[in-house]
Amino acid sequence: MNATARRRHERRDEIIRAFWRVARSRPRRAINVRAVAAEAEMSPANVLHYFSTLDELQMTAVAGAREEFVEQRRRVLDLPLTATERIYAMIEAGVPDTISDELRQVYESVAILAEHSKYIAEHRALNERQVMLYRTLIEIGAGIGEFELAAPAGIIARNLVALEDAYDLYPLIGDLTPREECRQAVRSYAELALGIPPERRPGSLAS
């Protein structure tokens, strides 16, 4: 990467960081180019030089947030734990106590996806990577006899990701169900689908 390309990359990163600072400071208010530009200490025209529209900026920022989320899940997959323990750790990460501004933006960006189809493939790919992480772990557990699958691994994996998405979306529309109760709902499906016996469930792992 030459100096010009590197500088352009750095400026784009500065704008994305400014976008997230604005998102955190006004979680219930619309984000606009002027606010991001002020936070980045540049003109709105300069922001639009790097991102042609606010939608493009938001989708780029959201893609980075989802990438980091997937990377966190991948690190769970690499933990030196049993497959069962890693399933529970994945669910813990997938249904956090607090819905971050980044996660909120991910769900709010769905409306933009509907209007700008060019972003759909990238976001679908990130979703498929989450499914694949679960599928890999499920297949490992089944292969060593730790899981007895009630359905194909891919279907179980996709259902787990869908449940996490649902329980992360609900708080954004006013649902006040305790987060631990939400996690327990996802765990209960995993236990049934993977055939996890009671003695290996949370609270019994040390017994």
Side-chain angles (χ1 to χ4, degrees), residues 28-142:
R28 300 301 175 194
R29 295 167 56 196
I31 301 171
N32 55 59
V33 171
R34 187 174 299 279
V36 174
E39 184 64 35
E41 298 183 346
M42 61 178 67
S43 70
N46 206 359
V47 170
L48 293 174
H49 173 72
Y50 292 96
F51 298 95
S52 59
T53 65
L54 180 63
D55 284 353
E56 181 185 349
L57 170 56
Q58 182 178 2
M59 296 309 298
T60 303
V62 166
R66 292 191 67 149
E67 183 72 35
E68 175 58 26
F69 183 69
V70 171
E71 177 59 22
Q72 290 173 359
R73 308 295 289 275
R74 190 199 62 76
R75 290 195 288 268
V76 171
L77 188 65
D78 292 338
L79 291 173
L81 301 171
T82 67
T84 301
E85 291 170 329
R86 282 179 285 173
I87 283 289
Y88 288 129
M90 291 273 274
I91 294 170
E92 189 79 20
V95 187
D97 282 333
T98 302
I99 302 299
S100 68
D101 295 305
E102 288 82 355
L103 190 56
R104 178 178 59 82
Q105 286 287 334
V106 166
Y107 289 114
E108 291 183 352
S109 70
V110 171
I112 298 175
L113 287 175
E115 298 171 1
H116 302 277
S117 59
K118 65 181 180 180
Y119 300 123
I120 291 177
E122 180 180 359
H123 284 259
R124 182 185 295 128
L126 286 169
N127 186 72
E128 289 301 316
R129 285 174 59 192
Q130 292 185 66
V131 172
M132 185 54 64
L133 288 173
Y134 260 124
R135 179 172 181 166
T136 298
L137 182 51
I138 290 167
E139 289 176 344
I140 290 171

Side-chain angles (χ1 to χ4, degrees), residues 122-198:
E122 180 180 359
H123 284 259
R124 182 185 295 128
L126 286 169
N127 186 72
E128 289 301 316
R129 285 174 59 192
Q130 292 185 66
V131 172
M132 185 54 64
L133 288 173
Y134 260 124
R135 179 172 181 166
T136 298
L137 182 51
I138 290 167
E139 289 176 344
I140 290 171
I144 61 177
E146 197 169 327
F147 299 149
E148 293 184 11
L149 307 187
I155 290 177
I156 297 172
R158 196 168 297 280
N159 284 341
L160 284 168
V161 172
L163 283 170
E164 290 178 352
D165 282 343
Y167 281 114
D168 287 342
L169 178 61
Y170 287 172
L172 301 182
I173 56 176
D175 185 89
L176 300 179
T177 303
R179 300 302 287 166
E180 176 54 26
E181 187 175 324
C182 295
R183 282 190 291 271
Q184 180 52 42
V186 181
R187 287 195 294 262
S188 68
Y189 168 74
E191 289 160 0
L192 290 172
L194 303 177
I196 299 174

